[in-house]
Amino acid sequence: MSNIMETDSTYVADTYARFPVVIQGGHGSVAFGEDGREYIDLGSGIAVNVFGYSDEAWVKAVSDQLHRVQHTSNLYYTGPCADLAKELCERTGMKKVFFCNSGAEANECAIKAARRYGELKHGKGCSTIITLKDSFHGRTLTTLSATGQDHFHELFQPLTPGFVYAEGNDLGSVKQLIETNDVCGVMIETVQGEGGVNVMTPDFVKGVRALCDEHDLIMIIDEVQTGNGRTGSLYSFQEYGILPDVATTAKGLGGGLPIGAAMLSEKLQDIFHPGDNGSTFGGNPAVAAGALCVLKRIDEDCLAAVKEKSKLIFDTLEGQAGVKSIRGLGLMIGIEPEYRSAKEIASGCLKNGVLVLTAGKNRVRLLPALNIPEADLMKALEVLKKEFAKKEGNA
Ligand SMILES: *Cc1c(COP(=O)(O)O)cnc(C)c1O
């Protein structure tokens, strides 16, 4: 074992099952291991490094800002924070943005907004939020509670009350929960990432929008993983042709630095007042400058390339030996193996120089950088094909 792995295992809290590789550098979609090997990265730090490792324009945007001012408190204004909020609103139709540092925190803000709205519009006690089974919304006690997977709930009781769980792609089950609870909002992922890359149908997503309109509920879309170009639109709700009341995002927005954002629609733009929410680092100017650089480059050309590469992945893997099913949207793809487990395949890929992720329901999950060069992608897909075709070994 390398020294770094040994020190990490000794001193870092044991909350991750790490792959046995130390990444000490990278360029584009290639990670450099301490072992001297190169790895084609189809995970991009879980949908974070949208333009790969050490992307020059992003590094310049962040470091230029670092030379000006790295941080001030939210008691003062800074340019990058204001500009980023403007860009997000102009590109989505949302009206206001709350900045924080992670997806979980952005979802906390969305939940607060929905509960405030519920109480103001429908009275005290109108606080229940419907989420979906197999969803994932974060690791704080409230977002764990929002996460519709029992095994996340067991260890940390009591969780925040006020969440009930509907079946994905089943409008009837959403409707039934609206009728039997004092509901203020519905929160969904359009494509469930951690839960197995489960794609919600346009009928379902539009149906949830219609139900929320009918009952005056807040529709929240968790775009933490689907956002920032991942699905072939800047935000996936644009792919579905609807506007939620809150869209949360994080992961890819910062291009590699921590940021979270809750975007509020017209209906919620005045829901918060000074003191209602806050975050020391929220809207940090260096992170925001990087995020603005990332957003500006997720343009029509970039999104068209995402769709092309998505098609390439589907065309290459569909019907291959050992591939039971493949699903997803854009460059968020889940593949169900026929023979070995997703974990075994991920380990096999690593041994052959390719980094992939797994997701719930035994899926191999691909979240490559939006600008992954086609040559790297094709090379990695050859490795994947071989690993899926293997019937045993490489455990
Ligand atoms: C990763 C993720 C989160 C949590 O984000 P953190 O930044 O880890 O708090 C929430 N929702 C979805 C859909 C995610 O994929």
Side-chain angles (χ1 to χ4, degrees):
M1 216 193 319
S2 89
N3 262 336
I4 293 172
M5 290 188 214
E6 210 169 284
T7 308
D8 183 294
S9 305
T10 307
Y11 294 108
V12 176
D14 193 20
T15 62
Y16 305 102
R18 298 200 205 277
F19 287 104
V21 58
V22 177
I23 294 178
Q24 58 180 20
H27 185 74
S29 280
V30 177
F32 307 145
E34 189 204 28
D35 52 11
R37 297 185 59 194
E38 294 192 348
Y39 298 87
I40 300 174
D41 188 350
L42 299 186
S44 62
I46 317 190
V48 167
N49 301 333
V50 277
F51 293 117
Y53 292 96
S54 57
D55 172 75
E56 267 174 43
W58 175 83
V59 169
K60 184 171 184 329
V62 174
S63 52
D64 283 357
Q65 181 57 40
L66 285 175
H67 287 289
R68 277 181 227 115
V69 53
Q70 83 277 29
H71 173 78
T72 176
S73 72
N74 273 312
L75 299 174
Y76 310 103
Y77 296 92
T78 64
C81 171
D83 291 343
L84 179 60
K86 178 168 184 261
E87 178 81 7
L88 283 168
C89 290
E90 287 182 351
R91 304 253 320 253
T92 59
M94 303 303 260
K95 298 293 180 199
K96 299 260 187 193
V97 185
F98 174 80
F99 289 116
C100 48
N101 314 287
S102 68
E105 230 183 319
N107 286 336
E108 292 266 351
C109 174
I111 292 162
K112 284 183 177 177
R115 287 193 166 173
R116 279 303 292 142
Y117 187 84
E119 180 174 315
L120 289 170
K121 283 300 285 271
H122 308 295
K124 249 198 163 27
C126 177
S127 58
T128 299
I129 293 177
I130 298 172
T131 66
L132 300 183
K133 290 179 185 163
D134 294 324
S135 58
F136 181 82
H137 297 298
R139 299 282 188 170
T140 62
L141 286 172
T142 296
T143 56
L144 268 185
S145 191
T147 293
Q149 302 186 57
D150 288 342
H151 69 97
F152 280 107
H153 295 172
E154 282 152 14
L155 296 179
F156 304 106
Q157 295 290 328
L159 299 180
T160 307
F163 293 90
V164 291
Y165 315 100
E167 298 287 341
N169 284 332
D170 180 351
L171 267 185
S173 102
V174 177
K175 207 166 166 194
Q176 196 243 331
L177 288 173
I178 291 174
E179 282 158 7
T180 50
N181 293 274
D182 204 355
V183 174
C184 65
V186 182
M187 171 149 111
I188 65 168
E189 295 154 272
T190 51
V191 183
Q192 295 178 328
E194 311 297 316
V197 195
N198 313 312
V199 184
M200 297 303 127
T201 63
D203 279 352
F204 179 73
V205 175
K206 287 183 177 148
V208 170
R209 178 68 275 179
L211 281 172
C212 287
D213 287 340
E214 187 187 329
H215 296 269
D216 193 14
L217 309 177
I218 296 305
M219 180 180 189
I220 303 166
I221 299 197
D222 178 344
E223 297 262 10
V224 172
Q225 197 161 145
T226 50
N228 313 300
R230 179 65 38 201
T231 64
S233 288
L234 183 58
Y235 291 98
S236 74
F237 63 78
Q238 298 169 312
E239 193 74 24
Y240 284 82
I242 57 123
L243 193 64
D245 301 301
V246 192
T248 58
T249 190
K251 290 197 167 90
L253 179 60
L257 284 171
I259 186 170
M263 299 179 252
L264 306 170
S265 73
E266 193 165 1
K267 186 162 162 168
L268 288 176
Q269 62 178 328
D270 299 320
I271 200 78
F272 292 126
H273 302 289
D276 288 349
N277 208 2
S279 163
T280 298
F281 284 109
N284 171 279
V287 181
L292 192 59
C293 166
V294 166
L295 275 189
K296 294 249 189 222
R297 287 157 68 207
I298 306 178
D299 56 12
E300 289 309 313
D301 288 347
C302 169
L303 294 171
V306 166
K307 291 190 172 172
E308 272 167 38
K309 281 174 219 168
S310 175
K311 188 170 179 311
L312 193 65
I313 296 173
F314 274 90
D315 289 349
T316 307
L317 296 180
E318 217 151 30
Q320 288 296 317
V323 173
K324 196 164 172 188
S325 70
I326 168 165
R327 61 184 97 186
L329 205 57
L331 289 176
M332 181 168 178
I333 293 175
I335 314 153
E336 188 182 4
E338 178 119 42
Y339 307 133
R340 297 187 301 156
S341 71
K343 283 212 166 71
E344 285 170 320
I345 289 172
S347 297
C349 285
L350 180 78
K351 284 180 189 149
N352 289 289
V354 174
L355 307 181
V356 298
L357 304 164
T358 60
K361 298 187 169 168
N362 194 30
R363 299 284 148 73
V364 170
R365 181 170 39 147
L366 308 183
L367 299 163
L370 305 186
N371 66 343
I372 184 171
E374 206 175 299
D376 288 343
L377 181 59
M378 290 315 288
K379 208 166 135 191
L381 291 178
E382 283 310 309
V383 170
L384 266 174
K385 276 204 291 201
K386 281 191 194 134
E387 289 303 318
F388 271 92
K390 279 184 195 164
K391 296 206 167 153
E392 55 199 63
N394 242 340

